[in-house]
Amino acid sequence: MAGFGSFLEVLISGLLAGVLYSLVALGYVLIYKASGVFNYSQGAMVLLAGLALVRALGFFESQGIPYAAALVLALLFAAAVMALTAWIIERFILGPLVNQNELTLFMSTIGAAFILEGVAQMAFGSEVYPLRMFPKDAWILGEAYFPGGILINKLDIWGGVIAAVLVAAIALFFQRTKTGRALRAVADDHLAAQSVGIPISWIWFVVWFAAGLVALAAASVWGTKLGVQFSITFLALKALPVLIIGGFTSVPGAIAGGLIVGAGEKLAEIYLGALIGGGIEYWFAYVLALSVLMVRPQGLFGERLIERI
Amino acid sequence: MSEPKSAPAEALLSLENISLSFGGLKAVSDVSFDIRKGEIRAIIGPNGAGKTSMLNCINGFYHPQQGRITFKGRTRKSMRPHEAARGGIARTFQNVALFKGMTTLDNIMTGRALRMKRGVLWQLLRAGPALREEIEHRRFCEEIIDFLEIEHIRKTPVGKLPYGLQKRVELGRALAMEPDLLLLDEPMAGMNLEEKQDMSRFILDVNRRDGTTIALIEHDMGVVMDISDRVVVLEYGRKIADGVPADVQGNQKVIDAYLGVPR
Amino acid sequence: MFYREAGQFKTSYAADMAIFPIRQDRIAMLLLLAFAFAGVPLLAAFHVPPFNSEYLLRAIILPFLILSLAAIGVNVLIGYCGQVSLGSGAFMAIGAYSAYKFNTGIPGLWLPPLPTLASILLGGLMASIAGIVFGIPSLRIKGLYLSVATLAAQFFFDWLFLRVKWFTNYAPSGSVSAPELSFFGLTVASPVEKYLLALTFVCVFALGAKNLARGNLGRQWMAIRDMDIAAELIGIRPLAAKLSAFAVSSFIIGVAGALWAFVYLGSWEPLAFNIDRSLQLLFMVIIGGLGTILGSFLGAAFILLLPIALSQLPAAVGLKISTATITHLEFIIFGSLICFLLIKEPLGFARLWQIGKEKLRLWPFPY
């Protein structure tokens, strides 16, 4: 039974880690679904949000403000930073690029990623800053059934809760609000949306701000896990396979993709890694994503395009 | 109206009981007709009658669920688009499908792609046989360019051309394939009278001079009745009439389909 | 005034199809080539500034040439065939490590150490094969999905060359050094010799790529890029067109990778070919101009020189800034310039060059 116990532990920790990837992937889906832009700078936004949060928290605490109040203030400050970022990106980068093709927009977000990384580190510093928003200890479950029990991190559970809240909020936003419907129109066709009077710049600001808030949520969890540091931007690369497995446009897809990648990665590392060498976590998710795409080129939950001529 | 042909030529292409649907939507149901060698065959009907779907079945872009297609004596259920192209079927599209980043000349040269045989290594050197081949096909394409009177836009990227000229370039690309069967999907849509006259002249010339068989979809009844040998009429995916222009013009069902009758 | 083509009539299709149909362009190109092949080595030999400095040749011109070559390869795939790849760095790595293995001999396959030139070309061939394998998904996957999927190649090969010690001949540090470079008995060691070597490769490959791009194969690539469905309907096989683009592109990138490792770096580790390299190459072709050979050179020059210029600017102006701040400033300025260029001229430097030439034809009369 030890084998099954450890399998279960690996599976559960993988699934929970996957939810954390989904947190980052949600930011991409939001922007792609709403503006047709593939936002490479999502990772940089997580870094910026995390740095703003952790440095503001430190500042407010050093002023003698109690932790809870300081945390609220710091969250508000970081949200304001993300709002400013959204405004600047819309005003100076995406606004002038309306109606350009996907590739140009994608490249411009790589440019934006460089700018954000530079600005974030210049303004808030470039060291590793520990964050302790969430508990980092673990529960041990099922000791009666398995020797040693199953280890579950409380942080991962928090990540799951936050992801669930975000998904519900985003779904409501897209389906039930006027802005949400306008967003979908803009994603379909910039020009057509403009011509029926949808204020595209306002829409883009809203959606980038929302993605900024998602980045803030991701930063609070990942920052607790790893400390806020530059390498957090590499999360972007971790979230991409999640994104293509789920489909660029699907919110549930981002969650499902995260679960698949998280579980697959951990299981592969333990069982396959023993055969062909360690560190396969590095590429396994991508090969998994590639295989999914070979079967379903639009991802598991993506919308299928009918080719016409 | 063109002269009736002396003896009915053999069928180049025949379609038997073609049915095509997308999910629950029936685009074409149980349509049969043939296209004879050397004729101009018009397919007409109101919007959404399944005309373009019919062409898409012929050149293999859609695969009909039922029916048989016989082309040059070979019968099959469906084929891949590039097989159809190799077999000698070329077409133009309702919404111009040119390669927008390429020049007029390059667009027409792509029509010769199947006939250029020199290997990659010769192309790499662009000398000897590869250069001779390139020049030989360039000469062929220049003849088409002269014929279509588009010399002045030879080196212009087609994305920048007005719609009427794009339609002409697209015809040029199809002609460069030296097809046995040329499918034209609304070649005169959105053109003014003079442009329509030019286009009709090109179509008739191609048919008379090269003996190319042509199937065309067109909404301008004047043009259809003038240049086509036989007309097939579709409505709601069904064939409602088939015959020489004069017969079709007098057919009550066709008149009803176009003018609408209270049902 | 100097740029008039009036009176230059073409009397054959061959003349009309030349790379430089205008006489002034041909003369300028010949002068440039003469200067690059003969002028620069002579100036360096006689210690004429700025060519007397080893730094210029070794640290600026050499990487510029090799990365231009890689950019040409990337441009074949992205600019001509429209298949966006983020895995170019991996194909450079395949070229480099394969060339290294061929050059040092593979006893397991009874292969003796091969000469440098053969090793480099075989390195390109290996990259080409890998390119075909990783190009197969492009038949089903399109657009951005494909570009993300190409990252699979990037991360897989990063890992492979880091973890599988066979590729590095079990070097304990994981870093490998290229053996001495020799071509038909000639040893290439000094900066000028390395420069000439890279220059020769770049010129030969640029001409070959240009020839392919304006021939039958190139037209098929562009047809697939502009409208893949229509291309298929006129008889172009997407399979053959896309995979040939992957093969040619990866071959060029692989050779560039081998040169980068052997000629520029000398000794290297997998980090030299990571995702940053892929993105750098992508920037070069987009800023330079998609679907133009000239753009590959312009883009490479810009992307390579910009950071060098940025890092030397503060010192030149006399400002004292900490190195960390300089790094961050570089990030910001680089990102801003990229965005600025994309907004101002989405078609890249090659387009600006063309506009400039058209203006010159009329100059000094503005009508």
Side-chain angles (χ1 to χ4, degrees), chain A residues 154-200:
Chain A
K154 289 182 184 167
L155 175 64
D156 291 345
I157 300 291
W158 271 105
V161 171
I162 291 176
V165 171
L166 282 179
V167 168
I170 292 171
L172 278 177
F173 176 61
F174 271 105
Q175 301 302 331
R176 295 295 159 85
T177 65
K178 199 176 149 199
T179 313
R181 280 194 299 275
L183 286 175
R184 285 186 285 164
V186 172
D188 264 3
D189 190 331
H190 298 170
L191 200 62
Q194 276 177 314
S195 68
V196 295
I198 293 174
I200 197 167

Side-chain angles (χ1 to χ4, degrees), chain A residues 111-171:
Chain A
F114 277 106
I115 301 176
L116 289 182
E117 284 165 12
V119 169
Q121 296 187 79
M122 237 166 94
F124 300 114
S126 48
E127 287 152 41
V128 181
Y129 303 98
L131 181 69
R132 40 190 171 77
M133 260 181 80
F134 301 107
K136 279 185 85 169
D137 52 336
W139 285 304
I140 294 175
L141 301 177
E143 264 178 304
Y145 308 102
F146 311 108
I150 295 172
L151 204 74
I152 292 179
N153 284 317
K154 289 182 184 167
L155 175 64
D156 291 345
I157 300 291
W158 271 105
V161 171
I162 291 176
V165 171
L166 282 179
V167 168
I170 292 171

Side-chain angles (χ1 to χ4, degrees), chain A residues 38 40 92 96 100 107-108 110-111 114 117 121 247-248 278-280 282-283 286 290 293-295 297-298 307, chain C residues 137 140-142 144-145 149 151-152 155-156 158-159 163 229 279 282-283 286 328 331-332 335-336 339 342-343 346:
Chain A
F38 185 84
Y40 187 84
F92 295 104
Q100 292 293 345
M107 295 308 292
S108 75
I110 302 185
F114 277 106
E117 284 165 12
Q121 296 187 79
F248 285 166
I280 61 173
Y282 195 55
W283 52 265
Y286 278 93
L290 197 58
L293 284 188
M294 287 305 277
V295 183
Q298 67 281 8
E307 289 187 303
Chain C
R140 269 181 75 75
I141 310 170
K142 289 178 183 173
L144 286 172
Y145 281 94
L151 282 174
F155 290 115
F156 176 73
D158 274 1
W159 172 85
R163 294 294 176 126
I229 302 173
L279 289 180
L282 189 62
F283 272 128
I286 290 182
H328 300 151
F331 267 67
I332 297 172
S336 312
C339 291
L342 286 172
I343 291 167

